[in-house]
Amino acid sequence: MNLINLQNKAKQDPKSYKEEVELQYQHFLSNFEIFLLKPTEESQEFIELISFLSHVAPFYKQMLLNFPKYLIQLLNEHLHHLSNELRKGIAQSLFILQNRDFISEIELIPIYFRLFLCQDKILRKYVFLHLIQTAKKIHQMFPNSQRERNLKKQFYLAIQENEFLIQEKALALLIEIYEKRFWSDDKTVNVIANTCFMENNKLLVAALNFFLKNKNQEEDEKDDPMTQYEESMEAFQDRLKSMKNTKKTKHKKKLLKKLRNKLSHQHTIVEEENGEETKSNQEPNFSALERIYDPQGFCEKLFTKLRGSNELFDVKVMMMNMISRLIGIHKLVMVNFYTFILRYVQPYQQYATTFLAIIIQAIHERIPPENVEPILKTILNNFISEKSSTLALTIGLNTIREIILRCPLVMTEEIVQDLVEYKKHKDKGVSMATRGVIAALRQVSSQLLSKKYRGRFTQPSKQKIFGEQILHIINENENENEDENQNENENENENENDIEFDENGNENGNENDIEFDEDENENENGNDIEFDENENIDESENKNQNKNQNKNQNKNQNKNQNKNQNKNQNKNQNKNQNKNQIEESDSDLNQDDDDEMEIKTEIQPDYLVGPRFTRRTKEEKLESMKQGREGRGKYGSRLHSERTTNERKKKNKPFRLTRFRKKVKKRRTRMKGRKKTKNI
């Protein structure tokens, strides 16, 4: 009997096939002893036996209790001597046994990390994905349990091993699991942070990339399953449109089936990720830099390593960026860092904008202004001068704007007077940057500005003393007053609604009363006519004529009243629109005064350069054209809804203009010939 058939039957009825499975197990033990003598030889039978026993093992636990030990022994003793197929088969069988709870994952994880040392790329990728799936499974089934803690310990111990490859893979696994928010705790973040001080350079770069997240947004958007699903949906719709008016072939039908299968697969992935996001969003999402236990000590260690390091210049820039982020988030004080970074603040530097962004991130309220003054002087001397270019001027002014928001005590009236003069510069970027500086000064300390630049409706902002903080204290009496005001406003709104209802009711009532009186008068007149038929006929006719005239006059009066009301309403609407336009124009003039500028923790180098004109591509121009056409009628003549052609226009021409053409003459001769034949 074939092993595959035996496997299926043993799963269905394990008692009846117990003897045959036992024979296969003894056959495996004999082959195992032979294989230990010659581990380099390949044997397909041995691989098939391993896969068969791994599938059947959960049904025969007592018989195959020692089966996984033999597989672990092979990997521990002869890992590098085994063939790729056999090594892959053993790993797959261990995965199956682990998934069916035949053996615990804590015993197998050290072996999985040793498999990363093999020169088999497919196996390493397979093991990496399996470890992520085990972490996900245990987190979903047993969250915050002892089993999950033991699994984390195995990952933490793998980083401390002597093998560099195992350290790199363990760090990559922890970063991947943290980004998927399976293990989003403080301990994992600090284990990743401690890898910055190891000897291996790759670990440092990976940890810094994790904290700084230097991945491009375009790459993230490409990897996003939602974007992939939308792109494939557009391709599917385009293919359907193209196949409407063409011949349907087998090849086209196959392509449609492939696209449909791809769409269904991507749709399931998107639904799974949305379900995971809803569960993960219940937990608070703090950044990794906020979870470090001792940020001051970590910054000092990293700064000492930066001073004596022989790393590449890009790695040094990443280390500086890491230190500046920590200083800005935790509001640390490191005076030596500012003097160290000043040597790189030059306009000819390749990473000039990045160094300026690093300086801005490291400045906050708790730093004394004496330490920030040399930074401001170097920026003024190197970037803001008559010899500097327009791009250097915009970068320098934007950096000073961010420094003013963070540490306004550095600025003086002389410096402000010099900076404000650049508002009339020819370059638009420079003038916009100076306006930003003026807006920041209005927000923080408007006393340094002259009256011309303070604004019309801005209140003078008092300059804070060093170390001063404003506390917002709320009293209970204030809350009670606010509640009373809210109740009063609600009562006023209710009264207004009642008044409108009463007015409508009275108007309807008056109309009904008028109609009722008219009916009564008519009935009375009718009775008079019945009693006095011969006496007052002329009088009754005159009365009826007067009534009809009165009715027509009332109708005309009501129409005129409605017209006048509509005119007055339109006039009032136009007046209100004009007032709103004037108010909007006033608000636009003083928009910088009303909107408070935010202090960003993360600043990118492009933010300091400001908006620059870049020539658009053809696709971007077409997209802008399509956006402008939305909500607009079709382009064409208003008279003719359908399109016309020259042939249609010829049909509408008079016969006198077309009778001398060749086509018309031929038609006329044919018609004459037909008439002659009919007469014959």
Side-chain angles (χ1 to χ4, degrees):
M1 188 184 285
N2 193 5
L3 287 173
I4 295 165
N5 293 323
L6 182 63
Q7 179 182 331
N8 293 322
K9 289 179 179 179
K11 286 179 181 179
Q12 292 173 1
D13 191 4
K15 289 182 180 179
S16 59
Y17 291 96
K18 186 176 180 181
E19 294 179 356
E20 293 178 355
V21 172
E22 191 174 357
L23 288 170
Q24 295 294 332
Y25 182 58
Q26 289 176 359
H27 185 56
F28 166 75
L29 292 172
S30 61
N31 284 323
F32 178 75
E33 291 176 356
I34 294 163
F35 185 78
L36 290 173
L37 298 171
K38 294 179 180 179
T40 55
E41 290 184 356
E42 293 182 0
S43 60
Q44 191 67 31
E45 293 180 359
F46 191 60
I47 295 164
E48 289 176 357
L49 280 169
I50 290 165
S51 65
F52 168 73
L53 293 171
S54 63
H55 283 94
V56 177
F59 300 98
Y60 304 98
K61 288 183 179 180
Q62 292 180 356
M63 187 194 298
L64 302 173
L65 188 65
N66 295 321
F67 172 67
K69 293 181 181 178
Y70 295 114
L71 299 178
I72 291 164
Q73 185 180 353
L74 281 172
L75 292 173
N76 285 327
E77 293 178 358
H78 305 285
L79 180 64
H80 298 288
H81 300 291
L82 298 172
S83 62
N84 291 329
E85 292 180 357
L86 181 60
R87 200 187 295 119
K88 187 179 177 182
I90 293 164
Q92 285 177 351
S93 63
L94 289 172
F95 296 157
I96 292 162
L97 294 169
Q98 181 195 337
N99 291 326
R100 294 179 183 179
D101 293 330
F102 192 80
I103 187 169
S104 65
E105 64 275 356
I106 294 161
E107 295 178 2
L108 294 173
I109 280 165
I111 296 158
Y112 291 155
F113 279 110
R114 282 181 61 80
L115 289 171
F116 288 120
L117 300 171
C118 298
Q119 292 181 356
D120 190 359
K121 191 175 181 181
I122 297 164
L123 181 64
R124 280 179 282 166
K125 187 178 179 181
Y126 196 63
V127 172
F128 188 85
L129 294 170
H130 179 71
L131 287 168
I132 291 165
Q133 289 294 323
T134 53
K136 180 183 176 181
K137 184 180 176 182
I138 291 165
H139 178 70
Q140 289 176 352
M141 295 175 73
F142 309 103
N144 296 322
S145 63
Q146 189 64 37
R147 189 174 176 182
E148 190 177 8
R149 287 170 199 155
N150 293 325
L151 185 67
K152 287 179 183 179
K153 284 179 184 177
Q154 294 294 327
F155 279 82
Y156 299 157
L157 291 170
I159 291 171
Q160 296 176 0
E161 287 190 2
N162 294 323
E163 294 289 338
F164 289 147
L165 289 170
I166 293 169
Q167 288 177 354
E168 288 174 7
K169 291 292 180 182
L171 181 63
L173 282 164
L174 284 174
I175 289 164
E176 190 71 23
I177 292 163
Y178 181 84
E179 285 178 352
K180 290 183 177 180
R181 297 192 70 185
F182 301 139
W183 296 347
S184 60
D185 56 346
D186 297 341
K187 186 69 183 290
T188 54
V189 172
N190 286 287
V191 170
I192 293 164
N194 289 324
T195 56
C196 294
F197 307 112
M198 288 185 176
E199 295 178 356
N200 193 357
N201 187 10
K202 291 182 180 179
L203 297 174
L204 191 147
V205 174
L208 291 171
N209 280 318
F210 167 69
F211 285 109
L212 300 172
K213 290 184 180 178
N214 287 327
K215 292 180 181 179
N216 292 322
Q217 293 180 356
E218 294 178 357
E219 293 178 358
D220 293 334
E221 288 176 356
K222 286 179 184 178
D223 295 331
D224 189 10
M226 193 67 197
T227 55
Q228 291 177 0
Y229 177 70
E230 288 175 355
E231 287 175 359
S232 58
M233 193 72 192
E234 288 177 359
F236 182 70
Q237 289 175 355
D238 293 333
R239 183 55 61 87
L240 284 173
K241 287 178 183 178
S242 64
M243 285 179 70
K244 276 185 181 178
N245 298 319
T246 57
K247 189 178 180 182
K248 294 177 182 178
T249 59
K250 290 181 180 179
H251 179 67
K252 290 179 181 179
K253 289 179 181 179
K254 285 180 182 178
L255 289 172
L256 279 173
K257 282 183 181 179
K258 285 181 182 179
L259 288 169
R260 281 173 184 164
N261 293 323
K262 190 177 179 181
L263 278 169
S264 63
H265 180 65
Q266 288 176 353
H267 185 67
T268 54
I269 291 164
V270 169
E271 286 181 348
E272 287 176 359
E273 287 199 350
N274 288 325
E276 290 174 2
E277 284 177 359
T278 53
K279 291 179 182 177
S280 64
N281 286 326
Q282 293 175 0
E283 299 176 356
N285 187 10
F286 297 108
S287 65
L289 292 168
E290 292 177 358
R291 293 179 182 272
I292 292 168
Y293 290 141
D294 186 10
Q296 185 73 38
F298 182 81
C299 280
E300 289 175 356
K301 284 181 184 177
L302 194 64
F303 185 62
T304 53
K305 187 175 181 180
L306 194 151
R307 277 182 166 180
S309 66
N310 294 320
E311 303 290 339
L312 294 170
F313 189 67
D314 295 331
V315 179
K316 287 182 179 179
V317 172
M318 290 168 74
M319 290 166 81
M320 291 178 202
N321 198 356
M322 177 81 179
I323 293 161
S324 67
R325 291 266 182 92
L326 283 168
I327 290 165
I329 290 165
H330 296 281
K331 293 186 178 179
L332 308 174
V333 178
M334 287 182 70
V335 179
N336 296 325
F337 179 71
Y338 303 107
T339 57
F340 176 78
I341 204 168
L342 278 175
R343 67 184 77 174
Y344 301 108
V345 180
Q346 296 292 335
Y348 57 82
Q349 181 66 251
Q350 187 179 0
Y351 300 102
T353 53
T354 54
F355 285 118
L356 290 169
I358 288 162
I359 288 164
I360 291 161
Q361 288 171 5
I363 293 167
H364 54 84
E365 295 175 353
R366 295 179 186 176
I367 293 166
E370 296 173 356
N371 296 321
V372 184
E373 282 180 2
I375 294 165
L376 193 139
K377 287 179 181 178
T378 52
I379 291 164
L380 291 170
N381 292 325
N382 295 328
F383 287 90
I384 300 167
S385 62
E386 294 177 355
K387 295 180 181 179
S388 57
S389 62
T390 56
L391 197 144
L393 283 168
T394 53
I395 291 164
L397 290 165
N398 286 322
T399 52
I400 287 165
R401 182 193 66 201
E402 295 295 328
I403 290 164
I404 288 162
L405 292 170
R406 288 166 173 77
C407 186
L409 296 170
V410 182
M411 299 301 291
T412 59
E413 291 182 358
E414 295 177 356
I415 295 167
V416 171
Q417 288 175 3
D418 293 331
L419 293 173
V420 166
E421 290 178 357
Y422 287 100
K423 189 179 179 182
K424 297 178 182 178
H425 198 271
K426 293 180 181 178
D427 191 8
K428 191 174 181 181
V430 177
S431 63
M432 291 294 287
T434 52
R435 286 178 185 175
V437 172
I438 291 161
L441 287 165
R442 284 177 187 172
Q443 182 179 340
V444 178
S445 61
S446 60
Q447 295 175 356
L448 297 172
L449 291 166
S450 61
K451 289 182 180 179
K452 184 169 68 174
Y453 295 109
R454 284 180 189 174
R456 290 172 66 188
F457 302 105
T458 54
Q459 294 179 357
S461 60
K462 292 181 181 179
Q463 195 169 5
K464 294 179 185 178
I465 304 165
F466 178 68
E468 185 181 356
Q469 290 183 355
I470 296 166
L471 298 172
H472 297 284
I473 298 165
I474 298 167
N475 294 321
E476 293 180 355
N477 294 320
E478 290 179 357
N479 291 322
E480 290 177 356
N481 292 321
E482 287 177 357
D483 294 328
E484 288 176 357
N485 291 320
Q486 288 178 1
N487 292 321
E488 288 176 357
N489 291 321
E490 288 176 358
N491 292 320
E492 287 176 357
N493 292 320
E494 288 176 357
N495 292 321
E496 286 176 358
N497 293 321
D498 293 333
I499 290 158
E500 289 174 357
F501 181 76
D502 293 333
E503 287 175 357
N504 293 321
N506 290 322
E507 286 174 0
N508 293 322
N510 292 321
E511 288 174 358
N512 292 321
D513 292 333
I514 291 159
E515 289 175 358
F516 182 73
D517 293 331
E518 289 174 356
D519 293 329
E520 284 180 351
N521 292 319
E522 286 176 0
N523 290 321
E524 289 174 356
N525 293 321
N527 292 321
D528 293 331
I529 292 161
E530 287 175 359
F531 287 111
D532 298 325
E533 289 179 357
N534 297 317
E535 291 179 357
N536 295 320
I537 293 166
D538 295 328
E539 291 178 359
S540 64
E541 287 177 358
N542 291 320
K543 286 180 181 179
N544 289 320
Q545 288 176 2
N546 291 321
K547 284 178 185 178
N548 291 320
Q549 287 177 2
N550 290 321
K551 285 181 183 179
N552 291 319
Q553 287 177 2
N554 290 320
K555 286 180 182 179
N556 292 320
Q557 285 177 2
N558 290 320
K559 286 180 183 179
N560 292 319
Q561 285 177 1
N562 291 320
K563 286 179 182 179
N564 292 321
Q565 286 177 1
N566 291 320
K567 285 179 182 179
N568 292 320
Q569 286 178 1
N570 291 320
K571 286 179 182 179
N572 291 320
Q573 286 178 1
N574 292 319
K575 286 179 182 179
N576 291 320
Q577 286 177 1
N578 292 321
K579 286 180 182 178
N580 291 322
Q581 287 175 1
I582 291 159
E583 288 176 357
E584 286 176 0
S585 63
D586 292 331
S587 64
D588 291 329
L589 289 168
N590 297 313
Q591 190 175 4
D592 295 329
D593 302 331
D594 296 331
D595 296 332
E596 291 185 356
M597 300 175 80
E598 294 180 357
I599 296 168
K600 296 182 179 180
T601 55
E602 296 179 5
I603 291 169
Q604 294 180 357
D606 296 330
Y607 178 70
L608 298 174
V609 175
R612 290 278 165 188
F613 177 75
T614 55
R615 188 167 287 179
R616 293 186 298 173
T617 59
K618 188 177 180 181
E619 294 175 354
E620 291 176 354
K621 289 178 182 177
L622 290 169
E623 286 179 359
S624 64
M625 288 166 70
K626 287 177 182 178
Q627 289 177 0
R629 288 174 183 173
E630 289 178 356
R632 194 184 72 179
K634 288 184 180 180
Y635 182 75
S637 62
R638 295 179 183 176
L639 297 172
H640 301 286
S641 60
E642 295 181 357
R643 292 181 181 178
T644 57
T645 58
N646 291 323
E647 292 179 357
R648 289 181 183 177
K649 289 176 182 178
K650 285 177 184 177
K651 290 178 181 179
N652 294 323
K653 282 184 179 181
F655 181 72
R656 290 179 182 178
L657 297 173
T658 59
R659 64 181 178 177
F660 295 108
R661 287 184 180 179
K662 291 181 181 179
K663 289 182 181 180
V664 177
K665 285 180 180 180
K666 286 180 182 178
R667 286 177 189 170
R668 289 169 71 187
T669 53
R670 286 175 188 171
M671 292 296 288
K672 287 179 181 179
R674 287 177 186 174
K675 287 178 181 178
K676 287 179 181 179
T677 53
K678 284 180 182 179
N679 292 321
I680 292 164

